[in-house]
Amino acid sequence: MTLLSVNVNKIAVLRNSRGGTEPDILRAAHTCIDAGCGGITVHPRPDQRHIRPDDVRALAAITRGRVEYNIEGNPFAGARGSYPGLIELARETKPTQVTLVPDGDGQITSDHGFDLTRDIDTLKPLVAVLRDIGCRVSLFVDSGATGFEAAVAIGVQRIEIYTGPYAQAFEEGHVQEELARCADTARRAQHAGLAVNAGHDLSQANLGTFKAAIPGLAEVSIGHALIGEALYEGMATTVRKYLQILR
Ligand SMILES: CC(=O)[C@@H](O)[C@H](O)COP(=O)(O)O
Ligand SMILES: NCC(=O)COP(=O)(O)O
């Protein structure tokens, strides 16, 4: 079964909009875990508009020994200022997995993956540090990416396919070409020895079609749509509906 990792960034967006403690990100995570999700994902950003370093720490404590914990982000972001940085947070909190994403500091959301043929030498020392800490390392890549053998050679264990273009094609009703590109990317990555995750703009509407096309899909991390859908049906019911799709 594909593991569902719930991204709780959007709970923090709502909380931060009033500057208090509600909605409570830990209560939300507990609810998702109790409903059967296999992991919690966060993507702290240097501007701290949603997940803050203290959230990363608190979520590490409540996930440990229960479900996987996946921290996503740009290892080079926030080198200055109060944001401690992704590697430092990983060293402190020891998540199950770190997913490296090549965002700019001011990006509104992630919109592309690494170019492995270009970025591999830059990634090599970071992957080594993360493996040393004990984290599984995944790299966010676009569909159609190449260079998976080189990623394996530096210690990378997974890729996460950026599914934003898939979700858009699905919505526009012409999904086959992008779906085939994702399936081919997954096949080549698996052949090179990598496990395959996926994420970005996945939803109850588009997840089943994606899952059916990607044999061996290890994990999906889902936040934006899931938290939105939970407004109508509640968090636990929504998580269970995703689990049903992933069965
Ligand atoms: C890498 C990825 O696709 C997600 O982590 C997504 O970017 C969520 O981040 P935001 O919630 O900040 O948009
Ligand atoms: N890695 C993708 C993720 O964590 C959630 O992305 P989204 O569902 O908020 O678009």
Side-chain angles (χ1 to χ4, degrees), residues 81-96:
S82 60
Y83 178 73
L86 188 74
I87 302 288
E88 207 175 311
L89 282 172
R91 203 189 300 284
E92 252 186 86
T93 59
K94 300 196 172 18
T96 319

Side-chain angles (χ1 to χ4, degrees), residues 7 9 43 45 49-50 72 101 108-110 140 200:
N7 183 320
N9 287 2
H43 188 138
R45 294 180 183 271
R49 64 177 178 269
H50 44 55
E72 304 194 329
V101 184
I108 199 159
T109 190
S110 306
F140 198 60
H200 202 92

Side-chain angles (χ1 to χ4, degrees), residues 67-203:
V67 294
E68 294 203 357
Y69 189 34
N70 175 41
I71 307 182
E72 304 194 329
N74 180 359
F76 303 110
R80 297 175 299 280
S82 60
Y83 178 73
L86 188 74
I87 302 288
E88 207 175 311
L89 282 172
R91 203 189 300 284
E92 252 186 86
T93 59
K94 300 196 172 18
T96 319
Q97 175 174 274
V98 171
T99 303
L100 300 177
V101 184
D103 306 307
D105 276 12
Q107 241 175 271
I108 199 159
T109 190
S110 306
D111 64 3
H112 65 283
F114 285 105
D115 175 345
L116 297 182
T117 55
R118 187 194 60 204
D119 300 331
I120 205 77
D121 290 341
T122 313
L123 289 166
K124 186 175 176 177
L126 296 165
V127 173
V129 168
L130 292 169
R131 291 293 307 269
D132 202 43
I133 293 168
C135 306
R136 188 168 73 218
V137 180
S138 179
L139 299 181
F140 198 60
V141 299
D142 298 315
S143 65
T146 58
F148 297 138
E149 288 75 12
V152 170
I154 66 163
V156 174
Q157 294 141 301
R158 294 195 180 188
I159 56 160
E160 177 178 333
I161 299 176
Y162 167 49
T163 49
Y166 162 74
Q168 187 167 352
F170 186 94
E171 195 171 317
E172 292 167 358
H174 54 80
V175 78
Q176 284 315 320
E177 191 183 334
E178 180 57 20
L179 189 59
R181 194 167 21 243
C182 290
D184 175 63
T185 306
R187 214 169 15 249
R188 288 184 293 100
Q190 288 163 342
H191 185 71
L194 294 160
V196 173
N197 299 343
H200 202 92
D201 277 339
L202 292 173
S203 67

